[in-house]
Amino acid sequence: DGDLQPAFDLVAYQTDRGAITDHPYANLQPMAGWNFDEELGTTVVVDFPGGFDGTHNGSGAVAGGKFLNALDFDGSGNFVSIPSSPAFNTQMLLSLSAWVRPDSVSGARGIFVRGDGANRWFFYLNDGKLVLESSNGNQGITNSAVVPQAAWSHVAAVFNASKPGSERIKLYVNGTEITDKTVGGAGNFVSNDTTPYIGVLLDGSGN
C-alpha cells in the first residue's frame, strides 16, 4: 500500500567464496533497476540497466513521485512482475534499495519478493519497520526505526555472505544504518526459479 518510486535497484550476485576479496563491491553495478517514471498508463516497467523489463498489473504509472512519476501499489492486485532469471539467484551477496511513500504503516507492505510457499526471500515494511527476510531457515531482521507515513523515505538492505561464519544483514533508512546483524549462514537466502515481484508481499496477489 502506497507509492514505490525511484530508485529501486537490485544487485544480486552468486560467486565462489574463494574469489571474494576484502572489497567485493569496488566495481559492481546494479544488476537491475526500475525508475517507475514511464508515461501515465504505461504497463511496461523498464529496467534501466537492461534485460529485466517488468509488467505492471494495475492502473499504470501515476503522477506525484519522488522525482517524476511513480507507481501506486494498493495492496489488492496492483503489482509489478519481473521475468524469472537465474541471475536473481543469490546465496552470497544481495543489495536492494527503494524510495517508498506508504499511505499507511499498519501491517505488512511488500517492496520486493522472490519465491513461493516456504522457499522465498522478501524485503518489506512491517508496521513501518524495515525487514529483509528469508523463509529458508527462518532468518529475518527487523529494525526499531519506523518509516514515516505519507513521506518519501529511501530504504536499503544488504546481505553479505562473503566471509564464512560472519554472514551479515544491514538495513538503512535515508542513508543511516539502523541495523547490523549476524545471521546463520549463506544458504538462508535461497535460490529458485520463481517470479520476482515488486509491490506485493508473497505471491503476486497483492499485499
Side-chain angles (χ1 to χ4, degrees):
D1 186 8
D3 299 335
L4 177 63
Q5 203 267 339
F8 191 105
D9 303 330
L10 170 68
V11 184
Y13 298 89
Q14 188 172 8
T15 186
D16 184 352
R17 289 181 180 216
I20 293 291
T21 68
D22 289 337
H23 304 284
Y25 310 119
N27 298 307
L28 300 186
Q29 298 296 320
M31 188 192 80
W34 301 271
N35 277 342
F36 302 153
D37 59 1
E38 285 78 18
E39 293 182 2
L40 298 183
T42 300
T43 58
V44 176
V45 180
V46 177
D47 166 22
F48 64 82
F52 300 103
D53 290 356
T55 300
H56 183 206
N57 300 271
S59 59
V62 297
K66 172 65 176 176
F67 302 108
L68 297 172
N69 291 332
L71 292 185
D72 184 21
F73 301 116
D74 58 11
S76 59
N78 192 329
F79 58 91
V80 171
S81 58
I82 308 297
S84 181
S85 169
F88 288 96
N89 292 345
T90 181
Q91 292 186 345
M92 294 295 294
L93 303 174
L94 173 69
S95 176
L96 296 153
S97 66
W99 282 102
V100 297
R101 185 183 184 276
D103 293 334
S104 170
V105 294
S106 175
R109 311 285 168 176
I111 300 174
F112 190 96
V113 62
R114 185 169 192 239
D116 55 15
N119 190 34
R120 63 183 183 269
W121 51 266
F122 41 103
F123 184 42
Y124 66 104
L125 296 177
N126 187 29
D127 291 332
K129 299 177 182 179
L130 190 61
V131 183
L132 176 64
E133 186 172 353
S134 171
S135 57
N136 183 2
N138 296 319
Q139 290 293 336
I141 184 166
T142 305
N143 65 79
S144 58
V146 175
V147 173
Q149 180 175 334
W152 286 101
S153 297
H154 187 267
V155 296
V158 176
F159 171 67
N160 185 354
S162 62
K163 296 182 178 180
S166 59
E167 295 85 357
R168 306 190 73 80
I169 293 176
K170 294 185 177 183
L171 296 178
Y172 301 82
V173 175
N174 294 324
T176 299
E177 180 184 297
I178 42 82
T179 301
D180 181 353
K181 182 179 180 181
T182 300
V183 294
N188 290 323
F189 278 78
V190 296
S191 299
N192 55 61
D193 297 323
T194 54
T195 300
Y197 294 100
I198 299 172
V200 292
L201 188 59
L202 296 178
D203 60 2
S205 62
N207 63 358

